[in-house]
Amino acid sequence: MKRFCLAMMMLWAGPAVAENFAGCNKEQIHVVDSAFRNAKALTLKAATSVGDTPEYERWFGEYSRASAEDVRANLKSVVGAIRSGNVTAQCDQITQIGCDGGEYAWVYPNEPYLMHLCPPFFTLPPLTALEPGARRSDNGTREGTIVHELSHFLRVAGTDDHCYSRSACTAMAANDVRRAIDNADSYQYYTEDVTYYARQLVTGKPPPAHLAD
């Protein structure tokens, strides 16, 4: 079963993070490579931020040391997948399998590390463009989508899709910790929130603000 949310093989000559690209033009390669670089740094920061915090409770439910260790390990596995250099980003068209229902990206969990990117992926904002409460931000970011999809691989975290929206995933975390820790969007939203909406100011970004439900 595939998980939703990347034909000629092209290899990017530079030191790309996603080292392999399939069906992507030069502009798409630049966008994807930048998103992967940012996703690696942001997910590593998210892993080190795991603790008894409001952000953790918001996306993974009531804190416990055992649950937190699972979350931290899964985030580190996402970082490890990116660092491996084995990710292939495949830029698909709307008419291709998996890209005909408004999906941003999808993977087969048992086929690491091929990530299918659909055209809507390239309309997503980068993390720095998120605006709390803005409709454009409701669907997440390019970096967050990469975290979401990589977490699905069985070699990474083997997550599922138990919920998709911020409001639904917040409600689920409050009622079902187990499913929240097994949910791909929970890792995406947590990574986005603890890195971009951190309490301290970040140079070149707007001041942090609480994200409305």
Side-chain angles (χ1 to χ4, degrees):
M1 179 172 59
K2 67 187 176 186
R3 306 282 197 251
F4 288 102
C5 191
L6 181 140
M8 171 182 66
M9 181 68 72
M10 298 172 60
L11 296 179
W12 184 236
V17 177
E19 291 188 348
N20 307 299
F21 296 87
C24 304
N25 60 38
K26 185 176 181 180
E27 181 178 356
Q28 289 172 323
I29 289 174
H30 175 76
V31 169
V32 175
D33 186 55
S34 177
F36 267 92
R37 289 180 184 279
N38 291 337
K40 180 180 70 172
L42 296 169
T43 309
L44 183 59
K45 180 178 179 182
T48 62
S49 299
V50 172
D52 190 0
T53 64
E55 292 83 6
Y56 179 93
E57 183 177 359
R58 180 181 180 86
W59 300 117
F60 299 110
E62 184 177 1
Y63 176 85
S64 74
R65 182 173 297 179
S67 294
E69 284 302 317
D70 288 341
V71 170
R72 185 181 295 108
N74 287 340
L75 289 167
K76 286 184 176 179
S77 291
V78 171
V79 176
I82 300 174
R83 283 179 170 170
S84 73
N86 294 323
V87 177
T88 294
Q90 179 170 310
C91 300
D92 290 345
Q93 302 302 314
I94 289 292
T95 56
Q96 292 178 278
I97 295 174
C99 285
D100 57 357
E103 291 80 15
Y104 296 101
W106 61 275
V107 302
Y108 287 113
N110 61 345
E111 293 184 4
Y113 292 108
L114 176 61
M115 181 180 296
H116 298 263
L117 298 177
C118 302
F121 172 85
F122 297 94
T123 69
L124 286 170
L127 188 67
T128 52
L130 272 184
E131 298 177 8
R135 177 173 296 182
R136 184 168 182 257
S137 300
D138 285 348
N139 294 321
T141 63
R142 296 168 187 164
E143 294 90 346
T145 299
I146 288 170
V147 173
H148 176 119
E149 297 303 334
L150 286 178
S151 77
H152 279 319
F153 288 119
L154 300 181
R155 289 188 183 179
V156 179
T159 61
D160 211 321
D161 290 316
H162 299 297
C163 61
Y164 280 109
S165 71
R166 284 181 171 267
S167 58
C169 292
T170 300
M172 185 180 71
N175 295 293
D176 195 331
V177 169
R178 183 187 61 80
R179 286 167 68 89
I181 294 175
D182 185 50
N183 184 60
D185 256 8
S186 301
Y187 291 91
Q188 171 174 343
Y189 298 145
Y190 178 76
T191 300
E192 291 172 345
D193 285 7
V194 300
T195 54
Y196 185 68
Y197 295 115
R199 292 179 174 84
Q200 69 273 17
L201 293 175
V202 181
T203 303
K205 297 180 182 178
H210 177 71
L211 185 65
D213 290 334

